[in-house]
Amino acid sequence: MSTVEPVFANIGTNKGLKRFGLRGKAKVQGQWQLYCMIHNIEKIMRYGELAR
């Protein structure tokens, strides 16, 4: 099992997502997916640096 809270803290605090800038469920879902994708890409980049 893992804890999900650090992901929300990283996106909210470090990425600056305090509130969504778009209106409508589809647009908000798209914006949230972009933030999650950025978070995952950064994790992959950090893992690649550790593997070297």
Side-chain angles (χ1 to χ4, degrees):
M1 265 175 76
S2 64
T3 305
V4 181
E5 294 171 1
V7 175
F8 291 117
N10 181 27
I11 291 174
T13 305
N14 298 335
K15 306 287 186 292
L17 181 65
K18 299 294 182 192
R19 61 177 69 179
F20 293 101
L22 303 172
R23 296 179 69 159
K25 185 177 179 181
K27 291 179 183 179
V28 168
Q29 284 178 338
Q31 187 177 2
W32 177 251
Q33 288 174 347
L34 284 173
Y35 274 96
C36 291
M37 186 171 32
I38 290 168
H39 175 79
N40 288 329
I41 289 171
E42 287 177 345
K43 284 176 65 174
I44 292 169
M45 287 174 46
R46 274 185 264 126
Y47 177 74
E49 290 176 4
L50 295 174
R52 288 186 208 167

